[in-house]
Amino acid sequence: MPGPFSFLSRKKPTSLPFKDYYENWFNTLKNTLLPLLHQSLSSPSPSLLPFRRDLLLQHFLFYYDSLDQAAAVDVSQILFPSWRNSLETPFLFLGDLHPYLFTNLLRSFIDAANNNETENPESLDKPYQVLTAWINPPEKLILRIEQIECGLRLMVPPLISRVRKVQAAFIRKVAEKWDSNGGFKKKGIREAVKAEMEEMLDVLMGANRLRRSVIIEIVNAANVYQGALFLEGLAQFLVGFKDTALVGEFRRCKMMMMMMDINGGGTHWGF
């Protein structure tokens, strides 16, 4: 189904809707690249690990390139992605995963490895370098993570500010084009929407550049085992969103909280 503003597309529609492209991309991630990387991480021989890590990295980067291309055709389909389920929505920022999620995921690996005092790495059936990858990480890595996080704190707020300004300008232009006798003038509303979509395309591409940059910087700062484990964790995070039992439980919880709010018996959580 075309996006709500598809009539503003600057290019001819692609033969494959992005929803279908994402499904193919996701299936390759889940069924091919993730198992290959997991196999290398479980193998005592790390010879293929750098290659398979890079395959998964390029898969993510190619996805963001494709996201930019699809947005250039119809930015509305990316800003309002119909292929995302209710479990994914809270993690989205301008059409895709919030860049904060990447560093938070990395921090969670480090915290879990260094807070778990009961697990004996030598007793588990994985290579020692994999089991100890996040234990007492070097100060250089921690410093680089902090630098990346600092960069995010500087770059994300301006993107949010731009979105607000675009929306405010759009509302103002629509109000100016309102005819009290005849309602909206079609030409006027088209011009207002077109201007907003062009601005939103630029903002979305800026967000995608930031997402690409953070993923690349994390992998470059890590050693081969850490980089592979980070990408494996990110891929598993995406795969988890498609767990039907988890999605169903989330929807049930969401419905219960909405009912509590309607009945005045609970707190509104903003879902």
Side-chain angles (χ1 to χ4, degrees):
M1 180 180 294
F5 301 111
S6 57
F7 65 89
L8 296 172
S9 298
R10 297 185 297 177
K11 300 179 181 179
K12 294 181 179 180
T14 57
S15 57
L16 187 67
F18 195 80
K19 180 178 180 180
D20 296 333
Y21 165 83
Y22 182 80
E23 182 177 351
N24 292 338
W25 179 90
F26 177 83
N27 288 335
T28 301
L29 175 78
K30 178 182 177 182
N31 300 323
T32 303
L33 298 179
L34 187 54
L36 284 174
L37 185 63
H38 182 73
Q39 183 184 64
S40 289
L41 285 168
S42 302
S43 171
S45 173
S47 57
L48 290 176
L49 183 58
F51 173 69
R52 289 175 175 175
R53 174 205 60 186
D54 290 346
L55 276 180
L56 189 51
L57 173 61
Q58 291 304 317
H59 193 61
F60 278 110
L61 299 182
F62 187 73
Y63 162 74
Y64 285 116
D65 289 342
S66 301
L67 199 66
D68 282 346
Q69 294 172 15
V73 174
D74 177 12
V75 68
S76 67
Q77 69 169 324
I78 307 302
L79 292 173
F80 310 104
S82 61
W83 55 91
R84 300 290 191 178
N85 61 43
S86 57
L87 189 58
E88 295 173 277
T89 303
F91 297 92
L92 299 183
F93 172 74
L94 289 172
D96 201 73
L97 295 177
H98 200 297
Y100 282 152
L101 186 143
F102 304 137
T103 53
N104 288 345
L105 193 62
L106 182 60
R107 287 281 190 184
S108 73
F109 297 150
I110 296 174
D111 291 344
N114 290 279
N115 292 334
N116 190 347
E117 299 177 355
T118 61
E119 186 175 81
N120 180 8
E122 295 181 356
S123 68
L124 301 178
D125 188 23
K126 284 186 178 181
Y128 183 80
Q129 297 93 326
V130 173
L131 294 171
T132 60
W134 302 116
I135 297 177
N136 297 323
E139 185 177 344
K140 181 179 179 182
L141 176 60
I142 299 300
L143 177 61
R144 189 69 190 103
I145 295 171
E146 291 173 352
Q147 291 172 340
I148 295 172
E149 290 171 334
C150 181
L152 285 174
R153 288 192 292 270
L154 291 174
M155 299 179 74
V156 169
L159 289 173
I160 297 174
S161 178
R162 285 188 64 188
V163 171
R164 290 172 177 168
K165 289 179 180 178
V166 170
Q167 291 175 333
F170 173 68
I171 293 171
R172 185 178 64 254
K173 288 178 182 178
V174 169
E176 291 172 353
K177 299 298 181 180
W178 176 261
D179 185 338
S180 58
N181 295 319
F184 286 123
K185 294 182 178 179
K186 188 174 182 180
K187 182 179 179 181
I189 191 63
R190 278 178 176 265
E191 292 175 350
V193 172
K194 183 178 179 180
E196 185 196 25
M197 290 298 102
E198 288 179 348
E199 286 289 333
M200 288 304 300
L201 173 60
D202 190 55
V203 176
L204 184 142
M205 287 186 169
N208 284 343
R209 284 193 298 271
L210 186 56
R211 284 185 270 258
R212 274 190 296 258
S213 174
V214 171
I215 292 174
I216 292 172
E217 288 179 17
I218 288 175
V219 173
N220 287 344
N223 63 36
V224 64
Y225 292 99
Q226 293 166 340
L229 286 168
F230 166 73
L231 292 173
E232 180 191 44
L234 179 57
Q236 289 172 336
F237 190 81
L238 289 173
V239 170
F241 282 137
K242 303 301 181 182
D243 186 302
T244 53
L246 188 60
V247 172
E249 184 63 25
F250 177 82
R251 287 174 177 168
R252 283 192 292 273
C253 292
K254 176 181 176 182
M255 183 61 66
M256 289 177 62
M257 285 186 284
M258 289 176 64
M259 291 302 297
M260 289 175 63
D261 185 58
I262 290 173
N263 296 328
T267 303
H268 176 64
W269 292 89
F271 282 97

